[in-house]
Amino acid sequence: MDVLRAGTETESLRAQDVMLGTAVSAPQRIGAVARGDTIRVRIGNWPSGLYFARLTARGGRVGYAPFVLRPPRLGLSPVAVVFSTMTWQAYNFHDDDGNGTLDTWYAGAPHARLGRPFENRGTIPHYKHYEQPFVRWLVASGYPVDYLADSDLDAASATGSSLARDYRLLVFPGHHEYVTPHEFAVVTSYRDHGGHLMFLSANNFFWRTVKHGNVMTRTARWRSLHKPEASLIGVQYFGNDRGQHQGPWVVGDAPAGRWIFAGTGLQPGASFARGGIEADAVAPTSPAGTRVIARIPNVFGHGRDAEMTYYELPSGAEVFAAGAFTLAESIWSAPVRRMIENLWARLGAVGPAGLRGRLAVGQRR
């Protein structure tokens, strides 16, 4: 067994059941293992990030156990990237208790178990598409970032005001569908205290989810509880065709687009990247002043557009949402990379190696 930091690799993934990275610990021979064995891993003086233990055995067998290492204290960096660990487990079809029933509601079970090994040799569900490109770009770019799990935002000690003191910007790169009441309240309060938000996928903050020990249960859609996700994100989920139709975003003429797309070479009417699978659009509950800055026209062939949005609040908060799966996967495309740099410089007020205000378009009005 050894431990590796994910995102330090220089290549993209070709397979769904592989994790790559750089070793941060020496290989440790652990001998024969049996189901249910516990092996303790000593955490070194490693930077906050996404890590995984790698187990190798005879015959070329490999298994992974990923984990998020938060900083020793919150706020060491001005920006935090939040991983959707609860959603990872919702999409995990592993039968943890061996009773023949897959432990997730996507397979008919009433609950989903937390802390289970992942299928596909232990890789995070959809990691190849949702997290790996973005994490690899973050590491390569040198942005100072704290990495958190959504359980960090669900901690009893977490409050919106303290989070706003610690971070200028929270980035949700993946599919953040399942959210506890406390996390929903903390992130909303964080925004109301002037914290900035960036959502790079779609169908976020959709299900109210409660946890009891290592078991979580989805109870209701937040919008049915008079807390529609559009009121926080700016857009909300409207459809999913499992990727049958995907298309490029088309740039609109909203004023915010002038600085968001600055330096990309994209003008109104130009297209970039590709999105789809699941899609969001503005709703009557979107905050006043929410503007569509780009859209994927007729994304599923039924007449509705996936909408990329931006809004500001009197509190000073600024919120960006991609509106479709998944802008994070396209981060290595030059226009998307520059877009994210522009957003990061303005919302996070920091560039690589902590150079504040690196981009002129990032200066606040």
Side-chain angles (χ1 to χ4, degrees):
M1 179 189 71
D2 56 357
V3 178
L4 296 87
R5 184 184 180 192
T8 58
E9 66 274 14
T10 58
E11 67 268 37
S12 57
L13 290 176
R14 296 184 179 182
Q16 298 278 7
D17 61 350
V18 173
M19 294 190 73
L20 300 175
T22 302
V24 295
S25 73
Q28 172 188 353
R29 186 174 296 278
I30 58 177
V33 295
R35 182 184 180 93
D37 284 355
T38 297
I39 301 168
R40 297 191 179 276
V41 177
R42 182 178 295 277
I43 302 298
N45 186 25
W46 308 331
S48 177
L50 180 64
Y51 291 81
F52 59 95
R54 178 177 61 186
L55 294 143
T56 56
R58 291 188 183 95
R61 290 179 295 164
V62 179
Y64 309 101
F67 62 94
V68 180
L69 180 62
R70 66 187 178 203
R73 61 175 178 81
L74 300 189
L76 291 185
S77 300
V79 178
V81 170
V82 185
F83 289 118
S84 310
T85 52
M86 287 174 58
T87 304
W88 293 352
Q89 287 291 6
Y91 285 91
N92 180 11
F93 290 84
H94 183 70
D95 178 10
D96 193 46
D97 52 15
N99 67 354
T101 300
L102 306 181
D103 295 314
T104 173
W105 43 73
Y106 285 106
H111 314 288
R113 292 182 181 273
L114 300 166
R116 291 176 291 153
F118 295 115
E119 293 289 276
N120 293 319
R121 300 197 294 183
T123 56
I124 297 163
H126 308 294
Y127 174 69
K128 171 184 175 182
H129 301 288
Y130 296 174
E131 284 86 17
Q132 194 260 0
F134 189 71
V135 174
R136 187 164 64 89
W137 172 77
L138 276 177
V139 173
S141 299
Y143 281 99
V145 169
D146 287 351
Y147 294 82
L148 306 177
D150 47 8
S151 56
D152 292 311
L153 303 186
D154 188 42
S157 59
T159 66
S161 58
S162 64
L163 206 61
R165 288 194 300 269
D166 290 333
Y167 297 109
R168 288 186 52 83
L169 170 65
L170 297 183
V171 181
F172 297 85
H175 182 24
H176 213 88
E177 182 175 2
Y178 296 98
V179 181
T180 65
H182 185 63
E183 182 181 5
F184 197 112
V186 165
V187 175
T188 301
S189 175
Y190 166 82
R191 180 207 57 181
D192 293 345
H193 281 84
H196 307 314
L197 298 169
M198 190 187 302
F199 298 92
L200 300 181
S201 190
N203 193 12
N204 300 295
F205 285 65
F206 187 60
W207 283 98
R208 180 185 184 274
T209 308
V210 296
K211 296 188 294 187
H212 297 287
N214 73 334
V215 174
M216 64 177 179
T217 306
R218 61 180 185 181
T219 63
R221 296 176 180 179
W222 278 110
R223 66 181 74 168
S224 72
L225 301 173
H226 308 294
K227 292 185 177 181
E229 65 268 34
S231 65
L232 172 65
I233 300 167
V235 287
Q236 66 185 33
Y237 169 78
F238 71 82
N240 175 358
D241 76 344
R242 302 182 183 275
Q244 295 180 55
H245 301 84
Q246 297 186 50
W249 280 273
V250 178
V251 178
D253 59 359
R258 297 168 191 164
W259 62 264
I260 292 175
F261 296 113
T264 64
L266 299 173
Q267 300 296 325
S271 60
F272 65 96
R274 287 180 65 82
I277 305 177
E278 299 192 15
D280 298 346
V282 296
T285 52
S286 300
T290 300
R291 295 291 181 263
V292 177
I293 59 174
R295 64 181 74 240
I296 304 175
N298 194 21
V299 61
F300 299 139
H302 304 303
R304 294 198 67 179
D305 301 345
E307 296 177 329
M308 178 182 288
T309 57
Y310 170 83
Y311 74 84
E312 302 176 1
L313 289 183
S315 67
E318 301 177 51
V319 179
F320 169 86
F325 282 17
T326 161
L327 200 64
E329 184 179 11
S330 299
I331 188 65
W332 289 95
S333 162
V336 174
R337 183 165 64 248
R338 184 57 189 263
M339 273 181 60
I340 299 302
E341 288 176 343
N342 292 345
L343 285 158
W344 205 289
R346 179 185 174 106
L347 277 61
V350 62
L355 300 177
R356 293 183 180 273
R358 183 174 65 91
L359 298 177
V361 297
Q363 302 303 313
R364 293 183 59 83
R365 288 194 298 273

